[in-house]
């Protein structure tokens, strides 16, 4: 049964409302905010100027391959983080022409490089489809798994219906644990090209040492461009395509912001878990993040050893290694932050207070009296199999071979169904992307890395307790592993024996389907097949649990919303959001205060000549020659590099445009401070700080370090300003 929120306002007893700048707001929620206070803080825009239901400032905020970005010119120029563009920069690099090392500047449109596999999408319209989804669940009866599968089929129907509109991509997603659903209409651009990237020792200056840390001096930015067919419609890459002409793009600010200024962060935050029970947060703290940290640390060490002797192999896996290293340090921060911030204890105290509030009123007690007990029962079911599901999930994510093989097996299974009955990711609409993945599989494949990865993952599986064993894998090992053969030797034998590294073989398997995949004698596919029953069991469990949470979770959210009162925002789920913030520093520990800006002067001071602090000569020369442009604030000796604000952000906000009170671009979000890594479980006014690269640094780099005068002019940067303060900038 679904529970509607109508009438619950009368049950609110005192506000446990939001504080300061907490909140990742949906576009439709903007009108509900306190605009009087926002105007007092410096916001000059009206709600409808930011989003009027179909357009506004938010139309300039785009999604690029899971990151956020923004249009910054009328010719489809897209600005995002260097680490968001890393895979495209990496893919266009060779040992002879290493764009990661040297950077890249396209002198004109014709020189812009295809970013294969990249997509840019913009939101056109958001539609409430809650009633259709809830009706589908109700018609499916009482079985939780059947209800969830009916919901998923309805989602696919709504997507197919929406995509009948020309040049339209659709997603359907839930909010508040399934209490509300939205259909989001997007335009997706398939032809995306690399325009400009600083060297990695600017774009990731400080590397893993400075990652998630402050003070930060990383110039984390890159430029791309969206292209369309000559008639203006989205189209795959073609030399005759032309730059897209967006209806809305962001004006860049050449003045920047100061401490105390209001800013907005717009983008597509990935995932938060603010409304989890203390039971599940405790499991995240005690098991999930420590286990992830341990596994990823060992994988990274193994990958380093496997590629140490080969610059070519090291470059091949650069993007993959960077992504895993980011997750590894995130896990470290979660372990530290959840413990330091006492998140579990705080949630337990909140839950006790919430339950007392529920029991104090007969009507509330009737609505929510059993919700916490039911929620905990579901949580304990999840925890009971967490080790097994963790290992199984990591096996088919971290091993490139197992990821591909399992995907081919699933596709072979799904292709025999009617299109609307297929799982998302395996429908007809998904085939071009799936074919691109299968065809391009070998580009970043390093056999020695795969041997190390597979050996580590098999060892993880062998450590599982008896009641959580992967039975199919155990039987396969009994049949395949030779007497006295180590897991390392077995992994080597599998990698040497598989044909999945052959493009023709992979494409043939995808074309021929189920019998050929299952009957193949390929040893790696045999391993994947041994995991298929356990994967199907995990999916079935997750479907049943999701079906139960549609009722219990929705009631849990409603109880919290009624109790907390005031404005209430949903967890992040990769959809368009806005966060309001103030530029400010913070006190990480007693006696230490971090100011909110870093500078080029500090960037140069960090230079050691050794990675990750090996600053390019071009940056040092520009700074040494006092070639600092008009972007040095009054009273300062050099342009700012990064700044802090207390915006509510998470993964997926990488590349989010940070705009001032007039809507002008002042920076790009790219990270959080270490003390805020655990912010996914709760915003904290003292420690929640995000890190943005200051736009003044980007403009300085384009003007004085790796000159790109056409981009400055395209963004409307006035040449006269670049020559201010006695600098030698000329273009």
């Amino acid at each position: 049964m679904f529970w509607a929120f109508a009438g619950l306002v009368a049950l609110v007893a005192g506000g446990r409302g939001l504080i300061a700048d907490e909140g990742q707001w949906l576009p439709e929620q903007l009108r509900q905010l306190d605009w009087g206070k926002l105007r007092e803080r410096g916001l000059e825009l009206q709600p409808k100027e930011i989003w009027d239901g179909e357009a506004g400032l938010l139309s300039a905020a785009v999604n690029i391959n899971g990151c956020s970005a923004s249009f910054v010119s009328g010719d489809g120029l897209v600005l995002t983080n260097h680490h968001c563009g890393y895979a495209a920069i990496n893919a266009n690099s060779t040992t002879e022409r290493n764009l990661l090392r040297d950077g890249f500047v396209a002198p004109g449109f014709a020189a812009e490089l295809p970013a294969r596999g990249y997509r840019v999408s913009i939101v056109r319209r958001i539609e409430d489809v809650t009633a259709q989804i809830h009706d589908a669940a109700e018609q499916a009866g009482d079985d939780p798994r059947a209800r969830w599968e009916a919901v998923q089929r309805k989602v696919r129907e709504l997507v197919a219906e929406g995509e009948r509109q020309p040049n339209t991509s659709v997603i359907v997603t839930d909010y508040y644990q399934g209490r509300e659903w939205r259909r989001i209409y997007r335009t997706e651009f398939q032809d995306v090209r690399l325009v400009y990237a600083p060297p990695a020792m600017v774009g990731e200056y400080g590397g893993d040492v400075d990652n998630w840390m402050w003070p930060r001096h990383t110039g984390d930015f890159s430029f791309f461009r969206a292209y369309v067919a000559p008639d203006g419609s989205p189209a795959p890459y073609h030399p005759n395509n032309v730059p897209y002409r967006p209806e809305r793009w962001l004006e860049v600010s050449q003045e920047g912001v100061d401490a105390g200024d209001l800013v907005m962060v717009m983008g597509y935050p990935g995932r938060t878990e603010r409304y989890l029970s203390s039971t599940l947060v405790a499991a995240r703290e005690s098991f999930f993040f420590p286990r992830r940290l341990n596994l990823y640390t060992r994988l990274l060490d193994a990958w380093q050893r496997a590629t140490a002797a080969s610059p070519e192999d090291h470059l091949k896996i650069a993007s993959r290694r960077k992504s895993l290293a980011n997750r590894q340090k995130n896990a470290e921060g979660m372990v530290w932050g959840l413990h330091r911030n006492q998140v579990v204890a705080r949630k337990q105290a909140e839950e006790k207070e919430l339950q007392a509030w529920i029991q104090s009123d007969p009507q509330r007690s009737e609505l929510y009296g059993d919700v916490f007990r039911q929620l905990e029962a579901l949580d304990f079911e999840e925890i009971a199999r967490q080790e097994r599901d963790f290992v199984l999930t990591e096996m088919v994510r971290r091993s490139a071979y197992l990821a591909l093989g399992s995907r081919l097996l699933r596709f072979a299974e799904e292709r025999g169904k009617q299109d609307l009955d297929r799982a998302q990711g395996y429908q007809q609409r998904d085939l071009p992307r799936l074919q691109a993945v299968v065809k391009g599989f070998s580009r970043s494949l390093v056999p020695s890395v795969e041997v190390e990865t597979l050996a580590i993952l098999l060892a993880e599986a062998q450590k599982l307790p008896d009641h959580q064993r992967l039975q199919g894998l155990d039987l396969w090992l009994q049949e395949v592993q030779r007497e006295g053969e180590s897991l390392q030797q077995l992994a080597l034998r599998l990698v040497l024996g598989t044909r999945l590294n052959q493009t023709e073989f992979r494409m043939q398997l995808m074309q021929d389907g189920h019998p050929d995949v299952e009957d193949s004698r390929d040893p790696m596919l045999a391993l994947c097949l041994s995991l298929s029953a356990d994967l199907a069991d995990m999916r079935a469990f997750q479907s049943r649990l999701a079906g139960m949470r549609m009722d219990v979770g929705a009631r849990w959210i409603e109880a919290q919303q009624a109790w907390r009162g005031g404005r209430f925002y949903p967890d992040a789920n990769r959809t368009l959001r806005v966060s309001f913030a103030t530029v400010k520093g913070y006190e990480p520990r007693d006696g230490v205060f971090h100011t909110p800006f870093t500078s080029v002067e500090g960037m140069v001071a960090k230079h050691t000549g050794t990675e990750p602090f090996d600053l390019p000569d071009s940056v040092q020369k520009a700074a040494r020659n006092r070639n600092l442009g008009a972007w040095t604030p009054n009273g300062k000796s050099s342009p700012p590099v990064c700044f802090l604000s207390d915006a509510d952000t998470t993964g997926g906000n990488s590349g989010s445009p940070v705009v001032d009170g007039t809507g002008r671009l002042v920076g790009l979000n790219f990270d959080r401070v270490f003390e805020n890594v655990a912010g996914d479980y709760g915003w904290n006014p003292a420690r929640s700080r995000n890190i943005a690269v200051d736009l003044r640094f980007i403009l300085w780099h384009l003007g004085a370090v790796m000159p790109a005068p056409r981009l400055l002019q395209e963004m409307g940067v006035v040449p006269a300003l670049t020559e201010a303060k006695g600098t030698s900038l000329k273009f």
Side-chain angles (χ1 to χ4, degrees):
M1 169 177 198
F2 288 99
W3 293 74
F5 188 66
L8 286 179
V9 174
L11 300 179
V12 177
R16 290 182 56 88
L18 301 179
I19 49 177
D21 289 321
E22 179 182 359
Q24 299 170 342
W25 302 105
L26 300 173
E28 66 195 66
Q29 292 182 300
L30 290 174
R31 294 179 183 273
Q32 304 168 18
L33 303 182
D34 190 335
W35 286 85
K37 287 186 177 179
L38 289 171
R39 280 192 290 271
E40 289 176 5
R41 294 172 56 189
L43 183 61
E44 299 181 22
L45 302 171
Q46 297 298 320
K48 65 180 181 180
E49 294 179 278
I50 300 175
W51 185 254
D52 67 4
E54 295 187 1
L57 190 70
L58 286 173
S59 297
V62 306
N63 185 298
I64 180 168
N65 280 45
C67 280
S68 300
S70 55
F71 285 126
V72 291
S73 87
D75 281 321
L77 188 63
V78 174
L79 179 56
T80 189
N81 289 150
H82 183 274
H83 75 262
C84 294
Y86 197 94
I89 305 167
N90 190 186
N92 278 289
S93 294
T94 64
T95 51
E96 296 77 22
R97 186 180 181 235
N98 192 330
L99 307 188
L100 282 175
R101 180 192 62 211
D102 303 330
F104 173 72
V105 184
F109 292 130
E112 295 173 356
L113 301 174
R116 307 289 187 187
Y118 271 61
R119 300 287 187 273
V120 165
S121 65
I122 56 173
V123 172
R124 296 205 319 261
R125 184 161 65 91
I126 302 172
E127 177 187 9
D128 188 341
V129 292
T130 304
Q132 294 98 305
I133 296 289
H134 287 187
D135 184 59
E138 292 298 328
Q139 291 184 29
D142 295 329
D143 179 73
R145 183 179 174 187
R147 289 166 66 85
W148 182 248
E149 289 176 350
V151 163
Q152 293 307 300
R153 194 181 200 282
K154 176 55 70 174
V155 166
R156 294 191 289 271
E157 288 177 3
L158 289 168
V159 168
E161 179 185 77
E163 291 186 345
R164 293 190 188 111
Q165 298 183 20
N167 303 321
T168 298
S169 168
V170 168
I171 60 170
V172 175
T173 189
D174 71 300
Y175 300 94
Y176 304 112
Q177 297 194 19
R179 183 160 63 87
E180 296 183 13
W181 292 77
R182 299 290 184 270
R183 174 160 55 180
I184 302 173
Y185 296 80
R186 309 175 303 173
T187 300
E188 184 176 82
F189 304 98
Q190 306 164 52
D191 186 352
V192 181
R193 306 185 194 182
L194 178 64
V195 177
Y196 184 103
M201 279 298 97
V202 171
E204 57 173 342
Y205 189 60
D208 294 335
V209 176
D210 272 5
N211 194 18
W212 302 95
M213 306 299 285
W214 187 264
R216 196 71 173 273
H217 298 83
T218 308
D220 197 348
F221 75 95
S222 59
F223 286 90
F224 289 81
R225 194 181 306 278
Y227 279 77
V228 292
D231 65 0
S233 62
Y237 172 83
H238 192 281
N240 293 338
N241 284 352
V242 297
Y244 171 63
R245 301 283 296 174
E247 294 181 9
R248 192 67 182 261
W249 63 91
L250 297 180
E251 178 187 349
V252 301
S253 167
Q254 299 179 62
E255 297 81 22
V257 286
D258 295 318
D261 285 352
L262 174 137
V263 291
M264 287 186 295
V265 177
M266 310 183 298
Y268 300 80
R271 184 185 182 192
T272 56
E273 296 185 312
R274 300 274 170 85
Y275 307 118
L276 281 191
S277 71
S278 60
T279 301
L280 270 189
V281 176
R284 301 285 195 268
E285 180 181 345
S286 63
F287 170 77
F288 180 78
F289 287 115
R291 188 70 172 269
R292 174 180 267 194
L293 174 61
N294 177 276
L295 174 61
Y296 290 3
T297 300
R298 288 186 290 122
L299 284 173
L300 287 167
D301 289 344
W303 293 3
Q304 178 62 33
R305 292 193 303 271
T307 59
S310 172
E312 184 177 358
D313 287 349
H314 191 77
L315 183 62
K316 261 191 171 185
I317 68 159
S319 180
R320 186 176 168 195
R321 182 181 61 248
K322 182 177 177 62
S323 176
L324 191 66
N326 187 59
R327 292 174 182 269
Q328 183 249 15
K329 194 157 186 179
N330 174 274
E332 181 184 0
M334 288 290 187
V335 171
W336 183 87
L338 289 171
H339 174 73
R340 181 181 188 266
N341 298 342
Q342 298 183 311
V343 175
V344 173
R346 293 184 181 190
K347 279 192 167 287
Q348 288 172 338
E350 281 192 351
E351 288 162 359
K352 185 176 180 180
E353 190 177 341
L354 171 59
Q355 290 179 80
W357 176 80
I358 291 171
Q359 297 302 327
S360 68
D361 180 273
Q363 189 178 357
R364 292 196 295 258
S365 184
E366 182 180 352
L367 285 171
Y368 308 124
D370 61 349
V371 69
F372 186 69
R373 176 185 57 79
Q374 293 177 342
L375 184 74
E376 275 205 318
L378 298 180
D379 293 344
F380 283 126
E381 279 196 62
E382 186 175 326
I383 291 169
R385 50 185 291 154
Q386 64 182 356
E387 294 180 69
R388 175 184 186 277
D389 288 353
F390 174 84
V391 171
L392 185 57
T393 300
E394 293 298 330
M395 289 187 78
V396 296
R397 284 183 178 174
R398 302 305 151 206
S399 164
Y401 279 122
L402 296 187
L404 177 70
S406 298
R407 201 165 179 182
L408 285 171
L409 282 169
R410 184 75 188 279
F411 175 64
E413 176 186 343
E414 295 289 337
R415 68 184 296 172
K417 303 176 184 177
Q418 294 294 318
D419 196 54
L420 282 177
D421 292 325
R422 295 185 189 179
Q424 291 184 40
Y426 298 93
Q427 293 181 269
Q428 197 66 31
R429 67 190 291 271
D430 305 310
L431 286 187
R433 190 166 295 188
L434 184 57
Q435 288 170 340
V437 169
V438 173
K439 187 175 182 179
F441 173 74
S442 298
R443 289 179 191 146
S444 59
L445 190 70
V446 176
S448 59
V449 166
E450 295 312 313
V451 171
E452 297 289 342
T453 302
L454 193 54
I456 289 172
L457 293 171
L458 289 172
E460 286 290 302
Q462 288 204 328
K463 292 187 293 187
L464 287 171
D466 290 342
H467 66 287
Q468 294 195 56
R469 302 294 297 180
L470 299 175
Q471 296 181 359
L473 178 63
D474 285 345
L475 290 173
W476 177 83
L477 281 169
Q478 290 174 17
E479 295 175 1
V480 172
Q481 191 172 14
R482 297 168 180 170
E483 185 175 353
E485 186 177 43
S486 68
L487 292 178
Q488 185 86 12
Q489 292 168 330
L490 173 60
L492 177 61
R493 182 156 60 88
L494 293 174
V495 170
L496 291 177
T498 187
R499 295 172 61 196
L500 284 175
N501 57 353
Q502 301 173 15
T503 303
E504 185 178 350
F505 178 68
R506 295 193 304 272
M507 298 306 292
Q508 191 67 43
L509 285 175
M510 188 173 179
Q511 178 181 328
D512 293 345
H514 192 272
D516 286 270
V517 174
E518 286 208 355
D519 295 343
S520 170
R521 296 184 180 181
D522 187 278
M524 198 68 74
L525 281 176
L527 171 55
C528 293
L529 193 60
S530 78
L531 297 173
S532 60
D534 287 305
L535 285 167
D537 173 74
M538 182 172 69
R539 290 194 297 268
F541 169 76
Q542 291 171 343
S543 292
R544 183 178 66 82
L545 206 67
M548 297 179 74
R549 288 194 187 278
M550 285 167 62
D551 172 39
V552 178
R555 291 168 58 216
W556 168 246
I557 289 292
E558 287 176 3
Q560 290 195 70
Q561 184 167 3
W563 171 59
R564 293 175 187 274
R567 301 178 302 277
F568 194 76
Y569 60 91
D571 268 319
N573 62 351
R574 299 196 179 278
T575 58
L576 185 58
R577 306 291 181 96
V578 182
S579 175
F580 294 91
T582 303
V583 177
K584 60 169 65 173
Y586 74 111
E587 186 177 325
R589 55 189 178 275
D590 186 46
V592 175
F593 181 79
H594 284 323
T595 58
F597 287 92
T598 58
S599 67
V600 169
E601 185 177 6
M603 189 183 207
V604 173
K606 272 188 175 179
H607 171 70
T608 65
T610 303
E611 291 189 7
F613 297 103
D614 187 11
L615 196 61
D617 290 340
S618 56
V619 177
Q620 297 182 66
K621 181 179 179 181
R624 190 167 53 244
N625 292 343
R626 311 304 298 166
N627 198 6
L628 302 173
W631 302 293
T632 300
N634 290 329
K636 301 294 183 180
S637 58
S638 63
V641 179
C642 300
F643 67 87
L644 295 172
S645 75
D646 63 353
D648 198 346
T649 63
T650 186
N653 275 123
S654 290
S656 281
V658 183
V659 301
D660 63 15
T662 67
R664 297 182 304 166
L665 185 67
V666 295
L668 292 183
N669 179 79
F670 71 93
D671 206 354
R672 289 174 283 172
V673 299
F674 194 71
E675 294 82 6
N676 186 33
V677 174
D680 289 352
Y681 296 90
W683 188 90
N684 184 297
R687 291 184 289 275
S688 290
R689 298 293 182 272
N690 67 302
I691 306 174
V693 58
D694 198 299
L695 190 71
R696 289 168 289 188
F697 175 81
I698 298 174
L699 297 177
W700 175 69
H701 199 277
L702 267 63
V705 181
M706 279 178 56
R710 79 176 181 110
L711 297 186
L712 289 170
Q713 293 170 356
E714 184 177 340
M715 290 186 290
V717 176
V718 181
L721 287 181
T722 66
E723 301 171 5
K725 301 186 182 180
T727 71
S728 58
L729 290 178
K730 304 285 185 183
F731 58 80

